[in-house]
Amino acid sequence: MTNTSWTRQHVLSLADFTVAEYDTVLQTAASFKEVLSRRTKKVPTLQGQVVTNLFFEPSTRTRSSFEIAAKRLSADTLNFTASSSSLTKGETILDTAKTYLALGTDLMVIRHREAGVPQAIATEMDRLGVKVGVLNAGDGQHEHPSQALLDLFTICTLLDRDRPRLELLSGKKIAIVGDILHSRVARSNIWSLTASGAEVHLAASPTLLPHLFADYIKNEIHKNPILNRQLFLHWQIEPALEKADFVMTLRLQKERMTQHLLPSLREYHQLFGIKRDRLQLCQPHVKILHPGPVNRGVEISSDLMDDPNFSLIQEQVTSGVAVRMALLYLMGSGKA
Ligand code: NCD
């Protein structure tokens, strides 16, 4: 297994990921995918290490995926759930993290509804001089690196099962459609997909891709010549779908909406939903991704979601385990 190019202690954002790092994650995940296809799906790599899931926000996939990934690597796992914790007695987040440090945690996987919490905990761990790796499992509207990496792995594996690598995406067209404003998944995917040389097209209504936000992205484009070449913004779905190789649709994050941003769910589906007749605009081999959880019949029609000819949604969940094993392995093996 190759991990010679890996020096990163924390994975908080993909903004500064290098092509070599993407390829290391993809190749390592491919090795673990092979492990997961064996009869004995466990390796002793992280034996004796403790992986702690600190989830301050609800999660099904990400949390279970990190847990099974850690177990497949033979790590011991601790699971923290905010609602049943001492947070309810007034303990601060940093004190909670330090408690888990004292319990012997080597790797912390953190999800929080506020952007920046994983970074704050990582900074505190560095200040304390402890070699604990912090993995951002979704912070507010900021980033969700492991989701974007599993999306990347799902796509690249489809293009070359044995040797998934970033360059396979060069020249492909990828549409990201839906609630971009609230999506940390979109923000991480913008970094990875543009780094691959794919053409990335964002499409949403002006309320979900507001001009202020578009200006911010354009500013990033200005600073980053790679983005400049690869990122396109649309306020209608059709130009984004036209000849697309992959379509990533995003959940409407109603829990983050503080004002009415949609006419009605039915009208939203009419305007921005991924449905069968719209796919005619795309390449015939188009595949659809969704990070889940899905609002069936809203961002994607129910029948398409379940159609294995188009939908990669279940595959994304399965791939997520191999990708998270790769991340935990790369971050944790330096300590072993
Ligand atoms: C995403 C998240 O939590 O950001 N889901 C996930 O991790 N699988 C997207 C979402 O909640 O819509």
Side-chain angles (χ1 to χ4, degrees), residues 130-154:
V130 291
K131 276 190 143 254
V132 167
V134 175
L135 229 152
N136 177 5
D139 62 331
Q141 293 169 215
H142 175 226
E143 281 214 43
H144 193 348
S146 68
Q147 178 68 43
L149 291 169
L150 79 85
D151 295 337
L152 188 69
F153 181 71
T154 307

Side-chain angles (χ1 to χ4, degrees), residues 57 61-62 111 144 147 184-185 251 253 255-256 291-293:
E57 198 197 62
R61 274 150 271 262
T62 307
R111 166 169 290 196
H144 193 348
Q147 178 68 43
R184 52 198 177 202
V185 175
R251 184 175 66 91
Q253 307 213 357
E255 75 278 15
R256 294 189 211 282

Side-chain angles (χ1 to χ4, degrees), residues 57-89:
E57 198 197 62
S59 169
T60 304
R61 274 150 271 262
T62 307
R63 184 194 156 114
S64 307
S65 179
F66 270 113
E67 184 170 357
I68 191 69
K71 287 183 166 149
R72 296 292 198 213
L73 293 168
S74 303
D76 296 316
T77 53
L78 289 172
N79 279 306
F80 157 92
T81 314
S83 57
S84 58
S85 74
S86 291
L87 277 186
T88 57
K89 300 181 189 170

